[in-house]
Amino acid sequence: MGAAMRRIQAGSALSAFGLGFTVPFLYIYVAYTRDLGTTAGGLVIGVFALAALIALPFVGRVIDRRGPKPVVVGASVVAAVGAVLFGLSTNIVTVMLSAALLGAGTAVTQPALATMIVWASEAHARTRAFAFQFFLQNIGLGLGGLIGGNIVDKSRASSFTLLFSIEAVMFLVLAAIILSVKLARPEPVAGAAAEGAKGGGFKVLLQDKAMVKLLVLGFILFFAVYGQFESGLSAYGTEAAGIEPSMFGTALAANTAVIGIAQFVILKYVDRYKRTRVIAAVGLIWAVAWAIAGYAGLGATSQAMATAAFISTYALFGLGEAMLAPTVAPLVVDLAPESMVGQYNSAFALVKQLALALGPAIGGPMGAALHAPYIVTFVLFSLAVTVLAVRLGRMLTPVQNQPALVATPSRVVAQYTPGENAGTTRNTGKAEKIGTAA
């Protein structure tokens, strides 16, 4: 790993650490510590997500035109300002403004950092680079939440001010680290600039059938698991399975532990398999996880067994997450024309954010009141992941689906261009027939 990549990964981990400090406690801070009420507490979460949804459609073209470095720096400063304002806010107006700045800033850094990873890595090393980023971000979030939870006191506003101040410092450190990174803009693949300009960016992206299917697949992935962690699944566990609140911390710890252990084991073997087959396997694993959750809440079992089953559900989710990290993000990049990497990353981040916004809104009420339908719905969503992954595999070239097939590493591998035959891959601007991947 080069010096530039080490700095990018360190900055990404520090920003995740800062987020872990505050995001789990936003609702409590607004509703109770600042005594603005539960409605305001709910609204601040909505504004946080809405700001991200508004910012992401525009940031991709900026990344591609100006480069990811100034975008990361600018977004980090915006997020830091939002964090500081949050810690000082005492009324609904400043709280909402703070949420908008923090939500937009944190969301925009993600596709920009992903693009920096692309610029700093060769195609053959990209799988491990994204997997390592995922691992470090999970560690950062987990440690941030753990330390923040021990600092925070809902009866003392000053404890939250400290947390938000630390978060602001983390974002400023991220900006400083990224400013120190020297990256040369990669040479575009022949014809890529024209493809990126044709039809105005998103029009080109939406003509890319493989990318559209990957966006649909990504939405289901994030909606069916990530969007349920802090709402539907916890509501279901409490109401249907009688899980004690303290056990949710244990379940999340199991999830993080499995990710940490499995990540590097999976990296030893993931290159041997097609990406879409790995994603399809995740769908099956998650279907089993939801079935176990169903057993915990709907089966006639002891409380101890129900708790063990619920923890196992979170652990299986973690296994699936570890398998997705080295497959999905690199696939987004490998589908993108060279001049549109930022827009493809931003589009995927937008879909992720939308799923994370809708997941709690839909899953929360279902998990609390419609126990059996809730489990059945998400078992079916998980199986849909498997079906869509298999179908996506038929649209990819062999090298897009399994980059390890490339004998000589190159920076841009097998980009799919709308309108091209799925059996044609582009490495040097010349078309070469190599067949289709199942």
Side-chain angles (χ1 to χ4, degrees):
M1 186 186 296
M5 181 63 78
R6 285 195 296 270
R7 293 179 185 181
I8 294 167
Q9 298 285 28
S12 180
L14 285 173
S15 66
F17 178 79
L19 275 177
F21 248 69
T22 62
V23 170
F25 314 112
L26 293 182
Y27 180 87
I28 295 171
Y29 172 69
V30 174
Y32 301 110
T33 305
R34 291 302 185 185
D35 199 25
L36 297 176
T38 56
T39 300
L43 282 175
V44 78
I45 304 300
V47 169
F48 188 88
L50 181 62
L53 291 174
I54 292 172
L56 284 170
F58 303 101
V59 73
R61 300 194 77 173
V62 178
I63 293 172
D64 290 328
R65 290 177 178 179
R66 304 295 182 186
K69 183 175 176 178
V71 175
V72 176
V73 173
S76 299
V77 172
V78 169
V81 171
V84 170
L85 284 178
F86 239 128
L88 301 174
S89 294
T90 58
N91 60 71
I92 190 68
V93 174
T94 54
V95 159
M96 295 305 167
L97 176 61
S98 304
L101 292 173
L102 187 58
T106 55
V108 167
T109 60
Q110 297 311 306
L113 283 170
T115 305
M116 289 196 77
I117 288 175
V118 175
W119 283 28
S121 63
E122 298 292 333
H124 68 283
R126 196 170 294 146
T127 292
R128 298 181 185 278
F130 277 106
F132 194 55
Q133 183 198 34
F134 175 78
F135 171 75
L136 288 178
Q137 285 187 330
N138 271 277
I139 295 297
L141 283 169
L143 286 175
L146 180 63
I147 297 172
N150 285 299
I151 294 175
V152 71
D153 180 350
K154 75 175 185 179
S155 65
R156 290 192 304 113
S158 60
S159 67
F160 284 92
T161 301
L162 175 61
L163 257 63
F164 285 115
S165 298
I166 293 172
E167 180 180 35
V169 169
M170 292 298 102
F171 278 111
L172 293 177
V173 170
L174 168 62
I177 289 174
I178 296 304
L179 279 172
S180 72
V181 174
K182 294 182 179 180
L183 283 178
R185 189 183 187 101
E187 291 295 325
V189 174
E195 291 160 3
K198 176 184 174 184
F202 272 108
K203 182 179 179 180
V204 174
L205 187 151
L206 293 174
Q207 290 173 346
D208 186 337
K209 294 180 180 179
M211 183 59 185
V212 170
K213 184 153 285 188
L214 182 57
L215 290 176
V216 174
L217 179 59
F219 177 86
I220 295 175
L221 285 169
F222 288 107
F223 180 83
V225 171
Y226 295 94
Q228 303 307 312
F229 270 169
E230 295 177 2
S231 59
L233 196 55
S234 57
Y236 170 83
T238 301
E239 299 296 334
I243 305 298
E244 292 294 327
S246 60
M247 286 296 103
F248 288 109
T250 303
L252 285 170
N255 174 268
T256 303
V258 169
I259 290 172
I261 294 169
Q263 190 72 83
F264 295 102
V265 176
I266 288 169
L267 279 175
K268 293 180 180 179
Y269 303 102
V270 71
D271 287 340
R272 303 179 187 180
Y273 302 97
K274 294 176 180 177
R275 286 167 167 170
T276 51
R277 290 186 179 176
V278 175
I279 298 170
V282 171
L284 295 177
I285 290 169
W286 283 357
V288 172
W290 280 108
I292 292 173
Y295 167 77
L298 305 175
T301 183
S302 67
Q303 189 59 55
M305 287 294 293
T307 300
F310 207 74
I311 293 172
S312 298
T313 295
Y314 274 76
L316 286 173
F317 285 154
L319 177 60
E321 292 174 71
M323 293 169 66
L324 288 177
T327 53
V328 175
L331 181 54
V332 172
V333 172
D334 285 345
L335 286 175
E338 184 73 24
S339 62
M340 291 183 64
V341 172
Q343 291 179 71
Y344 272 57
N345 279 326
S346 295
F348 196 79
L350 176 63
V351 165
K352 173 184 176 180
Q353 198 67 41
L354 185 61
L356 294 178
L358 292 177
I362 296 173
M366 283 188 70
L370 303 172
H371 301 152
Y374 178 70
I375 293 298
V376 171
T377 296
F378 286 97
V379 167
L380 293 176
F381 269 125
S382 299
L383 294 176
V385 167
T386 299
V387 173
L388 283 172
V390 171
R391 291 182 178 179
L392 176 62
R394 296 170 185 160
M395 304 174 71
L396 304 177
T397 63
V399 175
Q400 284 174 328
N401 213 356
Q402 192 175 359
L405 294 175
V406 180
T408 303
S410 72
R411 240 200 57 75
V412 180
V413 179
Q415 296 173 347
Y416 175 86
T417 304
E420 283 189 358
N421 186 292
T424 304
T425 185
R426 226 169 2 92
N427 234 356
T428 62
K430 298 179 181 179
E432 177 189 1
K433 263 315 199 190
I434 59 174
T436 54

